[in-house]
Amino acid sequence: MGAARRSAPRTLRFLLGDQLHRRISSLTDLDPERDVVLIVEVEAEATYVRHHKQKIAFLFAAMRHFALELEREGVSVDYVRLDAPGNTGSFTGELERALARHRPDRVVVTEPGEWRVHEMMLAWREDLPVALEIRADNRFLCPLPDFAAWAGERRALRMETFYRGMRRRTGFLMEAGEPVGGRWNFDHDNRRRLPKGHAVPERLGFAPDAVTREVIDLVARRFPDHFGDLDGFAWPVTRAQALDALKHFVAECLPGFGDYQDAMKTGAPFLHHALLAPALNAGLLTAEEVCRAAERAYREGAAPLNGVEGFIRQILGWREYVRGLYWARMPGYARTNALRATRDLPWFYWSGETDMNCLAQCIRDTRTNAYAHHIQRLMVTGNFALIAGIDPAQVEEWYLVVYADAYEWVELPNVHGMVLWADGGVMGSKPYAASGAYINRMSDYCAACAYAVTAKAGARACPFNYLYWNFLIENEARLAGNPRMAMPYRTLARMGEARRTEIRADAARFLDGLGADRPATGGQLGLDLEGATRP
């Protein structure tokens, strides 16, 4: 895949690594006879945070396969590999080198997903010697101007309101202007614990071919200190594989997805979940076709309404909503810290070495797979960070590092607003704080834990229990007036001063000890500490 040289190309089309769709806006009017598509692997994008090894491997493999598909179509592709001689390591440097090679009349790009790259593109518009056209990303179902118009001057931006509007707009699960089944939301039906002996679907994995294997070896050499394992890499890296993954989810997983989407089980990290987010966020799939496939399964009687609605809500509701919120409120949104949380992220988020079995299981699965499902992210790793008062910026960086589907546009609002309530209620009406009872109800983690989930106080008590009440005490002035927090604060009000003192003492003992087992070097993970926490 060298740089193809055709005489006087009219347009250089710079395609980012998460824009791998043939009909993306920057390629819609592609002229194979005159245009060049530029795709680059650069050090800066792999290291602005220390991304999970599997995420880097997934993206580079998908990029290389996409370039090959374009070349088979007769498109001239200038593909710059990470280890290519002269690679400058940055988008700007590689774009400038490509301009010198091809001397186009203009450059066309699709708007990026992240604020920092958008700022970069605006600088290109000023600095490049040729015209730069930035086109809207046509893969999403809600254009950014439409979201901005909906958001207006509202202080609180509720996803449920947005989602209902998107259902009306797209017609998904609608009949005669009303929601199918007479309800917009079947979330109440989607909270079942996994029954003993329940058979979960097998993950459809994709064995690396020669192209992907070469990338995996490159990542192992170039990024040995990054978080995560490469063994077992099985993500879809082509459009055909992504479509197979979608078919597998609809046929094998979607029928049980709704009932058990909130469940957690030791040794079963995937359950009935789709595992489509990396392909979707990189462009190998589109939101519309994913929602259409799920809706078709319901219409044909192959999947129940509660699961199909819940899945479509994740794509049509949450995914479109967090993107819109990100662009409507950045860059100031990322700097808010409504609960004034300042504690450092514990080392066990990187090592997985903690006596809290729920956290150990979720973090180890994440290290192995670059994946955890939404309840593990929200109610285990996220819930702990919330009630322990961890600094939002450090938590958000961790989420951006460890998941194969993480990009700032989707990660930041979910973590900042939904997980940590750092936006003070712009996204969610209340913090999603919970004690160990929730984790015990939805998982089998507590049975094998060193702590007792039923104990409320003392060294053997589940830390989630006293940290939950300590969180309410610490934030009483900020949260007691929240109508959705009225019940727990009524319970807190009935507690005597002795019980409050006990809670505070247990929490202080535990939180003060969080950094005690932090190693002086990278330890078993081979991580540089400063790089791991502040890349």
Side-chain angles (χ1 to χ4, degrees):
M1 281 188 298
R5 307 288 183 99
R6 292 185 180 180
S7 59
R10 179 170 54 86
T11 301
L12 181 67
R13 301 177 184 273
F14 188 9
L15 197 67
L16 304 184
D18 59 348
Q19 299 177 344
L20 307 179
H21 196 271
R22 182 59 182 86
R23 291 189 293 278
I24 199 165
S25 59
S26 57
L27 301 184
T28 51
D29 55 348
L30 171 69
D31 181 353
E33 296 301 316
R34 301 192 51 148
D35 298 347
V36 171
V37 175
L38 175 67
I39 306 175
V40 300
E41 301 170 3
V42 293
E43 183 88 10
E45 294 305 303
T47 58
Y48 71 91
V49 298
R50 289 174 176 257
H51 296 288
H52 195 296
K53 294 188 187 92
Q54 285 195 35
K55 181 183 179 182
I56 302 173
F58 162 72
L59 279 173
F60 285 1
M63 289 160 62
R64 293 188 184 189
H65 282 94
F66 189 75
L68 289 170
E69 291 172 7
L70 289 176
E71 288 181 339
R72 284 193 287 268
E73 189 184 323
V75 175
S76 180
V77 179
D78 184 351
Y79 193 97
V80 181
R81 294 187 178 210
L82 186 72
D83 52 3
N87 188 327
T88 63
S90 72
F91 280 160
T92 300
E94 288 314 295
L95 178 55
E96 289 173 344
R97 289 209 309 153
L99 290 176
R101 285 194 297 272
H102 303 292
R103 302 188 181 279
D105 299 318
R106 64 174 184 155
V107 175
V108 171
V109 296
T110 293
E111 63 188 3
E114 299 194 348
W115 182 268
R116 63 182 182 84
V117 183
H118 182 258
E119 294 294 289
M120 204 183 300
M121 285 186 176
L122 294 182
W124 297 344
R125 183 176 275 168
E126 297 296 321
D127 299 340
L128 294 182
V130 297
L132 173 73
E133 181 183 352
I134 303 175
R135 297 179 176 177
D137 193 335
N138 57 343
R139 294 173 297 170
F140 290 87
L141 294 165
C142 182
L144 292 177
D146 291 6
F147 186 93
W150 172 79
E153 298 299 320
R154 305 180 194 199
R155 180 191 175 279
L157 304 177
R158 296 292 177 254
M159 193 283 293
E160 185 67 24
T161 304
F162 170 80
Y163 168 60
R164 294 182 186 191
M166 289 299 293
R167 289 271 296 275
R168 293 187 179 98
R169 176 178 184 152
T170 61
F172 285 122
L173 295 179
M174 298 291 290
E175 288 179 349
E178 296 296 325
V180 170
R183 290 159 54 189
W184 293 101
N185 187 316
F186 288 82
D187 196 41
H188 183 73
D189 300 336
N190 296 341
R191 299 171 182 167
R192 298 184 183 180
R193 181 187 175 101
L194 205 68
K196 289 184 179 179
H198 178 82
V200 299
E202 292 287 331
R203 177 189 186 184
L204 177 63
F206 299 89
D209 62 6
V211 173
T212 302
R213 177 52 56 190
E214 185 177 18
V215 167
I216 290 172
D217 292 343
L218 171 69
V219 171
R221 290 195 312 272
R222 289 290 293 267
F223 309 105
D225 294 337
H226 280 224
F227 179 80
D229 302 332
L230 283 166
D231 296 339
F233 180 97
W235 295 105
V237 295
T238 68
R239 166 81 172 156
Q241 288 179 346
L243 288 171
D244 285 344
L246 174 59
K247 291 176 184 176
H248 172 79
F249 167 68
V250 171
E252 303 297 330
C253 305
L254 184 57
F257 170 77
D259 288 348
Y260 306 119
Q261 64 172 291
D262 286 7
M264 298 173 282
K265 179 177 174 60
T266 302
F270 308 121
L271 299 178
H272 289 266
H273 290 272
L275 309 183
L276 298 175
L280 187 60
N281 291 349
L284 300 180
L285 297 170
T286 68
E288 182 175 9
E289 68 187 339
V290 167
C291 291
R292 192 75 63 198
E295 182 184 44
R296 188 181 307 116
Y298 166 71
R299 302 284 186 187
E300 294 175 353
L305 180 57
N306 68 309
V308 172
E309 186 278 319
F311 178 73
I312 287 178
R313 180 160 22 96
Q314 289 189 357
I315 308 301
L316 182 65
W318 274 112
R319 185 172 182 270
E320 298 284 330
Y321 165 79
V322 297
R323 176 185 181 246
L325 189 152
Y326 174 83
W327 285 103
R329 295 299 177 99
M330 283 292 283
Y333 186 77
R335 295 192 289 267
T336 56
N337 187 356
L339 299 180
R340 302 176 188 174
T342 59
R343 187 167 283 106
D344 285 337
L345 186 76
W347 175 250
F348 66 68
Y349 271 78
W350 302 108
S351 69
E353 296 171 359
T354 171
D355 288 337
M356 290 176 285
N357 189 46
C358 58
L359 282 158
Q361 294 295 330
C362 293
I363 292 167
R364 291 168 188 169
D365 284 346
T366 296
R367 185 174 60 203
T368 300
N369 303 309
Y371 172 83
H373 70 66
H374 66 280
I375 293 300
Q376 293 171 314
R377 300 187 197 196
L378 176 64
M379 300 307 300
V380 180
T381 55
N383 181 26
F384 182 87
L386 170 67
I387 63 179
I390 309 300
D391 171 32
Q394 295 186 40
V395 181
E396 289 149 18
E397 187 170 62
W398 183 81
Y399 276 82
L400 188 58
V401 166
V402 301
Y403 297 120
D405 57 9
Y407 299 86
E408 191 181 67
W409 66 265
V410 65
E411 171 272 325
L412 178 63
N414 269 309
V415 179
H416 197 78
M418 185 71 171
V419 171
L420 300 177
W421 213 73
D423 64 4
V426 173
M427 175 183 283
S429 58
K430 74 176 184 72
Y432 272 83
S435 68
Y438 176 87
I439 296 170
N440 190 39
R441 183 167 67 252
M442 298 309 303
S443 78
D444 64 356
Y445 296 151
C446 298
C449 189
Y451 296 102
V453 70
T454 56
K456 307 302 182 185
R460 285 203 65 245
C462 172
F464 279 88
N465 292 341
Y466 49 74
L467 289 179
Y468 170 75
W469 291 110
N470 184 68
F471 169 80
L472 294 183
I473 293 169
E474 287 192 339
N475 292 284
E476 193 163 5
R478 303 180 188 99
L479 298 176
N482 185 318
R484 294 198 64 197
M485 301 292 290
M487 183 177 295
Y489 274 108
R490 282 197 297 269
T491 302
L492 182 64
R494 291 194 293 269
M495 291 182 184
E497 192 59 35
R499 176 63 181 131
R500 280 179 173 247
T501 300
E502 184 180 43
I503 289 168
R504 299 286 280 168
D506 280 339
R509 169 188 47 77
F510 179 84
L511 294 171
D512 289 347
L514 279 180
D517 60 350
R518 180 175 172 138
T521 65
Q524 294 178 356
L525 291 178
L527 289 169
D528 170 76
L529 288 185
E530 293 303 316
T533 55
R534 279 291 172 197

